Amino acid sequence: MDFHWFLPTNGDSRDIVGTAESVRPLTTKYLGQIARSAEQLGFVGALTPTGAWCEDAWLSTAMLTEVTERLKFLVAFRPGLISPTLAAQMASTFQRLSGNRLLLNVVTGGESREQRQFGDFLDKDARYARTGEFLTVVNGLLRGETISYDGSYVKVEEARLARVPSQRPAVYFGGSSKAAGPVAAEHADVYLTWGEPPAQVAEKLAWIRSLNPAMRFGIRLHVITRDTAGAAWAEAERLLRNVSPADIEAVQQGLRRSESVGQQRMRELHGGDRDGLVVAPNLWAGVGLVRGGAGTALVGSHTEVADRIEEYAALGIDEFILSGYPHLEEAYWFGEGVLPELRRRGRWSHPAGDPGTTPAVVPFAGVPLSR
């Protein structure tokens, strides 16, 4: 199993809905702290989001390649807003200058209202069709091919890259609508789902496997993990304590208009109601009350969260893209609590070879401390 963390390029907070006291403004230094911590703890990569509400993913992650050594960057981007040839050139440059540390998260765009802010006026199904054409060109260029393509949405003539990356960046793709499946099956390396209950995830994975048996799978979740289950649930309750009914209604009003099938499935888990937020063992839908996108969190002791991760892994999930509030501290709770538990079970090993496992020594005594 591979684990990825998240870079909050819209700023961070100790709360789901940030207050003046809890918000941490976005700076390169703070993002660097999160990235370096994720790398040290054993995360393979870090997802950076895309949209009108956050900073640009390409520029943000490019700045962070110089303060990290191994960490990969899962850069979210939207096909159709730039030419496929330019996108392939950007990916090739990133790969070469970062030492092959780019992963591509393709976001077709589920909200027409937001897409129109970027000058994109296609409807949802047309956006998926365009994404397929776009990725046909991008993947071909990254393989070193010369491409002439005349599609309904994408047209290029004798496009090629002057420098082809030594390693094509893997393509991650999410989408729950009928139009998303065939595009993912043909063009993606990893299919992503949001953190639905295991039975629903199993159905979705079976759908994609029927289209592409070789597909790898990943899941996007928040985490609240502590030394005890009681402490973890107390933190979940604290996160909602400062959330008012007006906050919930304002967010849910916007989400009810969403065209995204995945977003609709997230909303169905909680229905905009504070009651009944535990939708499966250790799976809490409270985040989705006041946040679009991934709306569930694994909540529990380190052992319980490790159990749930193994449950998803048994369905075929290979990659876990995680986050928590605030992102710096939660990376340590997970990295020093759950990852060692998974290592003890033989399910995980540190990408850098388990650094830091030498027993500590009491100063002057030379006596190893048991761990």
Side-chain angles (χ1 to χ4, degrees):
M1 292 184 284
D2 286 338
F3 293 90
H4 307 262
W5 198 240
F6 185 84
L7 296 173
T9 54
N10 62 319
D12 205 2
S13 174
R14 296 192 302 277
D15 301 306
I16 302 177
V17 177
T19 64
E21 295 78 19
S22 66
V23 167
R24 297 176 185 176
L26 174 68
T27 66
T28 305
K29 289 183 178 179
Y30 180 63
L31 286 179
Q33 279 185 280
I34 298 173
R36 286 190 298 271
S37 297
E39 182 173 74
Q40 173 228 321
L41 291 165
F43 292 95
V44 170
L47 171 65
T48 306
T50 185
W53 53 274
C54 60
E55 300 290 348
D56 179 75
W58 289 100
L59 294 175
S60 300
T61 52
M63 293 179 180
L64 298 177
T65 59
E66 287 298 290
V67 299
T68 53
E69 297 178 358
R70 172 187 52 78
L71 191 72
K72 296 183 180 181
F73 295 97
L74 182 50
V75 175
F77 77 105
R78 303 190 180 200
L81 302 185
I82 60 175
S83 82
T85 307
L86 179 57
Q89 185 183 41
M90 291 165 62
S92 177
T93 300
F94 199 115
Q95 276 291 72
R96 188 167 55 259
L97 298 184
S98 69
N100 293 326
R101 290 197 283 150
L102 174 66
L103 305 169
L104 294 173
N105 179 29
V106 177
V107 179
T108 298
E111 312 301 338
S112 293
R113 183 178 180 182
E114 185 184 20
Q115 291 295 119
R116 289 194 291 268
Q117 295 183 46
F118 292 95
D120 180 13
F121 289 83
L122 295 182
D123 64 27
K124 184 179 175 182
D125 285 349
R127 290 197 296 268
Y128 275 113
R130 180 182 60 191
T131 295
E133 295 184 3
F134 185 95
L135 290 177
T136 295
V137 175
V138 169
N139 280 331
L141 291 172
L142 291 173
R143 288 191 295 264
E145 301 171 9
T146 297
I147 305 291
S148 291
Y149 189 89
D150 186 4
S152 299
Y153 307 98
V154 172
K155 299 180 190 294
V156 297
E157 184 175 324
E158 295 186 2
R160 65 183 182 86
L161 294 178
R163 295 183 180 180
V164 178
S166 61
Q167 180 179 325
R168 182 183 67 84
V171 173
Y172 291 63
F173 189 100
S176 298
S177 66
K178 291 182 179 179
V183 178
E186 183 176 355
H187 300 287
D189 301 288
V190 181
Y191 175 81
L192 295 177
T193 179
W194 283 331
E196 299 175 4
Q200 294 181 28
V201 170
E203 292 177 0
K204 191 179 290 186
L205 269 55
W207 167 49
I208 297 298
R209 282 196 187 98
S210 71
L211 302 172
N212 181 354
M215 183 71 71
R216 283 173 57 84
F217 296 102
I219 194 167
R220 173 79 179 91
L221 285 156
H222 304 280
V223 285
I224 305 172
T225 178
R226 295 294 185 269
D227 295 337
T228 66
W233 286 109
E235 175 62 12
E237 292 172 5
R238 185 197 70 79
L239 287 174
L240 281 187
R241 194 172 301 143
N242 295 327
V243 175
S244 69
D247 292 329
I248 295 174
E249 177 54 30
V251 172
Q252 293 304 309
Q253 184 176 356
L255 295 181
R256 281 192 289 269
R257 297 193 298 265
S258 175
E259 300 170 352
S260 167
V261 174
Q263 186 65 72
Q264 294 167 11
R265 290 166 70 104
M266 284 282 99
R267 282 200 71 252
E268 289 169 359
L269 294 178
H270 56 69
D273 194 334
R274 285 176 180 264
D275 298 326
L277 291 175
V278 181
V279 296
N282 302 105
L283 187 64
W284 181 67
V287 178
L289 288 176
V290 286
R291 183 194 189 281
T296 54
L298 294 178
V299 182
S301 68
H302 305 315
T303 299
E304 289 173 334
V305 172
D307 290 341
R308 299 288 79 77
I309 286 172
E310 287 199 305
E311 184 177 3
Y312 282 115
L315 301 177
I317 299 292
D318 301 303
E319 306 198 23
F320 294 79
I321 302 173
L322 308 174
S323 57
Y325 299 92
H327 290 77
L328 181 60
E329 287 90 328
E330 284 299 332
Y332 278 97
W333 277 113
F334 186 88
E336 295 181 341
V338 179
L339 289 182
E341 174 63 25
L342 291 170
R343 181 172 54 205
R344 282 190 288 271
R345 301 181 187 189
R347 301 304 305 271
W348 175 82
S349 60
H350 197 292
D354 289 337
T357 57
T358 303
V361 176
V362 177
F364 308 113
V367 179
L369 294 176
S370 60
R371 297 204 173 196

